[in-house]
């Protein structure tokens, strides 16, 4: 069964960092790009970044370029996104999703369940 | 930074047809874009409906179709069902980066 399972909810203070994980199962981890998408409460979806776990190539949306770090562990089929210098505007549900590495057409056919990150003093 | 515009809300009667559109601030949607459409219900993760402008996933109901219409990306629902009431998002990607539209709240009434 194809699944992306994310880590649990996090609470951070402004200025801190948070790291969210996304564990893949039921498919070959290195056959897919992993993307990160977030959704602030009551707001729309926002694409953040992708990583190619084969090559380490990555790309971030302009607004995240200085604050996002993506890593991965192929041995356990898990990708991570870390966001630093958090502000209240980073309070959101963070999703991981996948994209076929051979076509790279952003089909996003499978999504994680989402991880709520709350930034509050 | 490209902004992608969708209708904020639309209302359709059961059994009717409705078209949602998606347009970039940079101009028209061309073949250089990948276009995807997603459905999201409250409290749920998004669900992919359409990719690469007009391709359906195996689970996408036949009443959903994607196209390009007058320079915009379009999602058409024909024979709308009550369960189609949801938020719909388009995603335009090009050159390795993507931008979601603001979403359309579809009401079936």
């Amino acid at each position: 069964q194809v699944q992306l399972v994310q880590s649990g909810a996090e609470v951070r203070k402004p200025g801190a960092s948070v790291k969210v994980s996304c564990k893949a199962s039921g498919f070959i981890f290195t056959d897919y790009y992993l993307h990160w998408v977030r959704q602030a409460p009551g707001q729309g979806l926002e694409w953040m970044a992708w990583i190619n776990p084969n090559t380490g190539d990555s790309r971030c949306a302009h607004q995240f370029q200085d604050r996002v770090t993506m890593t991965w562990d192929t041995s356990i089929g898990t990708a991570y996104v870390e966001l630093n210098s958090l502000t209240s505007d980073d309070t959101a549900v963070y999703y991981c999703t996948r994209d076929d590495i051979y076509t790279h057409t952003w089909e996003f056919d499978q999504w994680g369940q989402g991880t709520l990150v709350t930034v509050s003093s | 930074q490209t902004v992608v515009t969708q209708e904020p809300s639309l209302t359709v009667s059961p059994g009717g047809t409705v078209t949602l559109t998606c347009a970039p601030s940079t101009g028209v949607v061309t073949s250089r874009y990948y276009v995807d459409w997603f459905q999201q219900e409250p409290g749920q993760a998004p669900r992919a409906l359409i990719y690469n402008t007009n391709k359906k996933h195996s689970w996408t109901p036949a009443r959903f179709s994607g196209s390009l219409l007058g320079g915009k990306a379009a999602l058409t629902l024909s024979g709308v069902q009550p369960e189609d009431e949801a938020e719909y998002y388009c995603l335009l990607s090009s050159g390795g980066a993507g931008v979601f539209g603001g979403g359309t709240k579809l009401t079936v009434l």
Side-chain angles (χ1 to χ4, degrees):
Chain A
Q1 180 188 0
V2 173
Q3 274 192 303
L4 293 170
V5 178
Q6 300 182 222
S7 48
E10 304 272 11
V11 179
R12 293 287 185 274
K13 293 190 184 305
S17 298
V18 69
K19 191 172 185 177
V20 176
S21 69
C22 172
K23 182 170 175 57
S25 62
F27 64 94
I28 299 170
F29 181 68
T30 49
D31 277 355
Y32 291 86
Y33 291 85
L34 263 293
H35 293 247
W36 293 93
V37 173
R38 76 177 186 179
Q39 186 170 36
Q43 303 300 308
L45 301 171
E46 183 177 26
W47 176 76
M48 296 177 65
W50 58 255
I51 188 159
N52 179 338
N54 274 305
T55 64
D57 289 343
S58 64
R59 179 77 183 267
C60 277
H62 177 76
Q63 62 268 33
F64 297 110
Q65 277 174 357
D66 296 331
R67 297 199 296 132
V68 162
T69 302
M70 288 179 289
T71 55
W72 72 101
D73 185 338
T74 302
S75 68
I76 57 172
T78 300
Y80 305 87
V81 66
E82 184 171 17
L83 187 61
N84 57 39
S85 303
L86 293 169
T87 72
S88 58
D89 290 342
D90 295 314
T91 294
V93 175
Y94 289 75
Y95 294 102
C96 61
T97 182
R98 70 174 194 173
D99 166 26
D100 190 311
I101 211 161
Y102 300 106
T103 58
H104 200 20
T105 53
W106 293 56
E107 62 267 25
F108 292 6
D109 64 340
Q110 188 71 27
W111 290 69
Q113 82 277 20
T115 297
L116 175 62
V117 174
T118 303
V119 183
S120 173
S121 54
Chain B
Q1 171 83 347
T2 301
V3 175
V4 177
T5 300
Q6 298 182 241
E7 298 86 0
S9 63
L10 291 170
T11 300
V12 60
S13 299
T17 296
V18 65
T19 297
L20 290 63
T21 67
C22 171
S25 57
T26 51
V28 299
V29 178
T30 65
S31 59
R32 76 181 182 96
Y33 285 99
Y34 292 120
V35 181
D36 304 300
W37 290 92
F38 302 89
Q39 179 190 63
Q40 188 180 34
E41 299 188 13
Q44 302 289 318
R47 181 174 78 131
L49 293 173
I50 300 289
Y51 66 101
N52 208 2
T53 303
N54 55 14
K55 294 180 173 47
K56 298 181 187 183
H57 293 280
S58 59
W59 55 82
T60 304
R63 61 184 179 275
F64 290 85
S65 62
S67 65
L68 295 182
L69 203 62
K72 298 181 180 183
L75 176 70
T76 299
L77 288 71
S78 304
V80 172
Q81 301 296 306
E83 60 265 30
D84 297 334
E85 183 162 297
E87 192 85 22
Y88 291 84
Y89 293 94
C90 66
L91 170 64
L92 300 184
S93 55
S94 177
V99 181
F100 281 96
T104 296
K105 169 63 179 168
L106 183 65
T107 300
V108 181
L109 204 56

